Amino acid sequence: MNGTALRNRMVMAPMTRSRSNNGGNVATELTAKYYEQRASAGLIITEGTYVSEEAIGVINVPGIYTTEQIKGWKLTTEAVHQKGGTIFAQLWHTGAFSHPDLHNGKKPLAPSAVNANQQIFTAEGLKPSEAPQPMTLDDIKKTIADFKHAAINAFEAGFDGVELHGANGYLLQQFFSKNSNLREDEYGGTVENRARILFDILGALKDTVDISRVAVRLNPSLNGIMGILVDEETITLYNYIVNRLNDYCLAYVHLIEPFTDVTGNQNAIQEVAKHFRPIYNGTIIINRGFTKETATKVIHEGDADLVSFGVPFLANPDLVERFKADAALNKPDQSTFYTPGEKGYTDYPALNH
Ligand SMILES: Cc1cc2nc3c(=O)[nH]c(=O)nc-3n(C[C@H](O)[C@H](O)[C@H](O)COP(=O)(O)O)c2cc1C
């Protein structure tokens, strides 16, 4: 993976698990145990981890902007490295996907005052999102600096790299998409302007960290969920972004196949890996809904280099071994995806245990 040797092509996809219910948004011993159990993956990408206080959009999620949080994440990186694994931190800012309750009553910051119309996990349960506060140019500058500091902190915590969360309707995708970005300054309007924040962040990272250990996650065909819509410029926009990513020599680009059926939608890329393979020169990770069979096929056909698995890794700490043995998989328990504690987190059995 651009200079980082991995022991197989199976990647654990980033998954929020909301186990940092400790007030300080700190990853704990329990977090370390969960990732250590899954260290046989070729690469682990952590759950989205907040780059700043402003980035918060869900309760009980770890951050990487305080000394305590760096210390907390060290437990995880040490545990995974001891097992011979490789682990990247996913850097996250939720933007409009948040609630004033999570910001001392202040509106969350986003590109424009467009309500994402989502249910937000607050300390008092789910609450509907509200229209956010449009970022000033100073807010944008601070956000770029926050991503930079978070990346520096991630390397200090022992991570092998960082993945910028540019997918699933969160801050960066809110800048990319016309329906959530109504700005009239250099961060809105044209395709180049809407993509600008990503390249500003990459520019800041290039000057401070090893850029060959920085990656980007994108969900180009997200449509009608998480507050994002495809439009007549979406394909042009993502072609522009991915083409420009070639200039950075990143660790990888992590792409997601459509979350919903986009058949017949001319504005949506139907087959994401196939579309971007000829455009992107570096390592591509592809995700969503893959099985052992479909993952093997996409790699053999050459449309991606690595495949990431979300729910299968969540429910099967030894997914690699199970694929090797053609063994049955544990069933995921959706009711414990985001609940505190060990249940549904570190208690999924491995084979022969
Ligand atoms: C419980 C859960 C939490 C998730 N949290 C994140 C996240 O923090 N960051 C992210 O980029 N994707 C997140 N995702 C999406 C997964 O990375 C992945 O795209 C999705 O599960 C589809 O892959 P799969 O079919 O292999 O499960 C999450 C998915 C699940 C099930």
Side-chain angles (χ1 to χ4, degrees), residues 265-323:
N265 186 335
Q266 307 242 321
N267 291 329
I269 297 163
Q270 307 289 325
E271 293 184 275
V272 171
K274 261 201 193 334
H275 179 91
F276 287 107
R277 179 72 284 178
I279 297 176
Y280 189 62
N281 300 332
T283 300
I284 291 180
I285 304 182
I286 192 65
N287 172 252
R288 207 197 82 73
F290 281 91
T291 60
K292 176 182 168 179
E293 288 68 33
T294 57
T296 307
K297 185 163 178 276
V298 75
I299 289 187
H300 282 163
E301 288 179 353
D303 292 329
D305 305 288
L306 306 162
V307 177
S308 75
F309 303 88
V311 175
F313 259 118
L314 182 155
N316 297 276
D318 56 347
L319 189 65
V320 173
E321 202 183 331
R322 285 174 194 254
F323 275 12

Side-chain angles (χ1 to χ4, degrees), residues 13-16 47-48 90 165 168 217 259 287-289 308-312 314 337-338:
M15 282 177 290
T16 295
E47 61 213 272
Q90 190 187 51
H165 194 347
N168 301 355
R217 189 173 210 211
F259 268 5
N287 172 252
R288 207 197 82 73
S308 75
F309 303 88
V311 175
L314 182 155
F337 276 11
Y338 305 108

